[in-house]
Amino acid sequence: MKGKILVTGGAGYIGSHTAVELIKSGYEVVIVDNLSNSRAEVIDSIQKITGTKPSFYNFDLCDAEKLSGFFKAEKGITGIIHFAASKAVGESVQKPLLYYRNNLNSLINLIDQMKVNSIPDLVFSSSCTVYGQPDKLPVTEDTPFKTAESPYGNTKQICEEIMQDVAKVNDDLNFIALRYFNPVGAHESAEIGELPLGVPANLVPFITQTAAGIRKELSVFGDDYDTSDGTAVRDYIHVVDLAEAHVKAMDRMIGKKQKRNYEYFNVGTGNGTSVLEVIKTFERVTNQKLNYKIVDRRPGDVVKIYANTDLANNELGWKASLGIDQMMADAWRWQKKVSNI
Ligand code: UD1
């Protein structure tokens, strides 16, 4: 056993895939999740894939007393991977306090407990949203932050700053922030995947739900951008590749290989793909015809972003291996399972 890892938000989309990869790589996993955007059955699905059932606690990390009680009951945690957070960009504009309260307090409470319980290592879910629309592409980790477009994006920037400030004055605490580009796809077993509540805001779940007949039509937000086909460009990354990056980050921490006690890495493929290219790939790979129309741009969208991943490749020894075809095939396999198609 390599260590005992608390995975917050481990019943969620990226958290559940990471729990699987952690178990496969020899870690013990304990999940805390308040099920605000996930289901308890995911814990059984993780067991189906790995043969091991992670321990599971249902409570909110913002409840400092419960969190403290948890660490008293669950002894021997060696590291934390912190996914639990609110993540809908649009909702964050409507409910900023909810986002600041949830996303900041949960991190602060966890850091308090790292100190009390001498837990040295934390991996944090950050986002490429911290860069806004960068002036130069591909975007490297040295690119300065732009003013956040949303309270959600602002919480990611502030959380990174909190970890950086804490790391400066606590030599015994180590942090790695992973800046995700656009995670899509699902585990190839179709046991776990993304389960958006209500109408999906993100492109790929909207595509798969349209193909499944749940949504009538996909709206493509703008085709007059300065890109090859006029639609916006993103760096889509398979969620299993992303999950593996977390394992590498935790390995780096327990192996004491960090160069500084606060580090941050881009986690993408390095490839930019337009919305129309995503749609065409989905149609080709799955043999489905998608009903879509071009509509106005979505306010707040960046035109084009994709990662320079050299730092993660060289320092974490990690590289994305799954391409956009696989992402679409796996996303569709998962949708078919969920929709009984
Ligand atoms: C956004 C956030 C990201 C956050 C993620 C999670 C920004 C810049 N990025 O990613 O930080 O982690 O949401 O929610 O705020 N699109 C359509 N039709 C649709 C849906 C999307 O054309 O129905 C287009 C979008 O305009 C965009 C691309 O598809 O160009 C990807 O959109 P989406 O999946 O929502 O992700 P981001 O906005 O890139």
Side-chain angles (χ1 to χ4, degrees):
M1 211 260 286
K2 281 156 75 174
K4 181 167 167 180
I5 309 299
L6 162 60
V7 180
T8 76
Y13 175 43
I14 307 171
S16 59
H17 287 82
T18 301
V20 166
E21 297 307 317
L22 284 167
I23 294 168
K24 270 170 60 185
S25 123
Y27 285 102
E28 182 181 343
V29 169
V30 180
I31 289 175
V32 171
D33 198 305
N34 69 356
L35 302 180
S36 60
N37 191 19
S38 57
R39 300 202 190 131
E41 297 85 77
V42 170
I43 310 298
D44 299 323
S45 306
I46 294 170
Q47 181 181 22
K48 263 196 196 157
I49 298 171
T50 63
T52 305
K53 188 165 185 167
S55 316
F56 170 56
Y57 295 79
N58 177 351
F59 66 90
D60 193 323
L61 299 168
C62 293
D63 186 334
E65 240 169 74
K66 281 220 173 101
L67 187 60
S68 158
F70 161 81
F71 280 105
K72 288 194 181 103
E74 193 66 61
K75 294 267 182 253
I77 291 191
T78 53
I80 300 171
I81 305 187
H82 179 39
F83 293 100
S86 304
K87 63 164 188 178
V89 177
E91 184 188 47
S92 79
V93 176
Q94 298 307 319
K95 302 177 183 169
L97 284 182
L98 174 77
Y99 275 66
Y100 289 115
R101 195 173 285 127
N102 257 352
N103 294 4
L104 303 188
N105 287 344
S106 57
L107 177 66
I108 292 167
N109 288 347
L110 279 172
I111 296 175
D112 277 340
Q113 290 301 318
M114 289 171 78
K115 290 184 178 185
V116 173
N117 297 287
S118 304
I119 298 168
D121 303 325
L122 183 139
V123 179
F124 177 73
S125 296
S126 190
S127 166
C128 70
T129 197
V130 297
Y131 298 119
Q133 176 62 67
D135 301 324
K136 240 178 78 192
L137 289 171
V139 63
T140 69
E141 287 81 354
D142 298 332
T143 305
F145 290 179
K146 291 252 169 86
T147 305
E149 290 278 354
S150 67
Y152 160 76
N154 206 16
T155 68
K156 293 297 173 191
Q157 293 187 346
I158 298 170
C159 283
E160 287 208 19
E161 283 159 5
I162 291 173
M163 290 184 290
Q164 190 163 16
D165 289 344
V166 171
K168 270 184 209 152
V169 291
N170 290 275
D171 290 343
D172 48 343
L173 298 184
N174 309 304
F175 300 92
I176 292 182
L178 298 179
R179 294 177 180 162
Y180 312 156
F181 282 66
N182 286 55
V184 299
H187 195 266
E188 62 174 355
S189 65
E191 291 292 343
I192 51 175
E194 192 170 6
L195 278 173
L197 284 182
V199 183
N202 297 114
L203 178 63
V204 174
F206 208 105
I207 287 178
T208 59
Q209 288 198 7
T210 306
I214 302 167
R215 311 280 155 211
K216 264 179 64 198
E217 191 173 48
L218 166 74
S219 295
V220 173
F221 298 136
D223 71 345
D224 55 354
Y225 286 112
D226 184 16
T227 60
S228 58
D229 60 22
T231 61
V233 168
R234 296 287 182 275
D235 185 339
Y236 296 92
I237 173 165
H238 197 294
V239 65
V240 172
D241 273 334
L242 176 57
E244 282 169 1
H246 293 80
V247 177
K248 295 280 190 187
M250 195 42 86
D251 288 348
R252 179 176 177 85
M253 296 176 114
I254 60 163
K256 307 263 176 258
K257 299 216 173 78
Q258 281 189 282
K259 294 202 167 133
R260 288 169 294 137
N261 66 336
Y262 174 59
E263 295 180 317
Y264 39 95
F265 298 98
N266 285 344
V267 187
T269 63
N271 301 318
T273 308
S274 74
V275 176
L276 281 179
E277 283 168 345
V278 173
I279 292 172
K280 283 181 187 141
T281 307
F282 179 85
E283 291 187 324
R284 174 172 52 76
V285 170
T286 65
N287 238 338
Q288 298 292 311
K289 189 89 200 83
L290 266 182
N291 197 14
Y292 70 89
K293 66 166 182 229
I294 310 288
V295 302
D296 286 348
R297 294 177 177 193
R298 182 170 68 175
D301 268 346
V302 305
V303 181
K304 197 174 187 179
I305 187 163
Y306 52 95
N308 176 313
T309 61
D310 289 351
L311 199 64
N313 299 162
N314 298 334
E315 293 294 326
L316 293 181
W318 168 91
K319 200 172 174 30
S321 63
L322 304 170
I324 190 86
D325 283 23
Q326 185 79 39
M327 298 179 211
M328 293 303 120
D330 290 341
W332 180 231
R333 191 180 303 115
W334 166 246
Q335 184 67 59
K336 283 196 290 187
K337 161 104 184 282
V338 172
S339 301
N340 288 316
I341 297 174

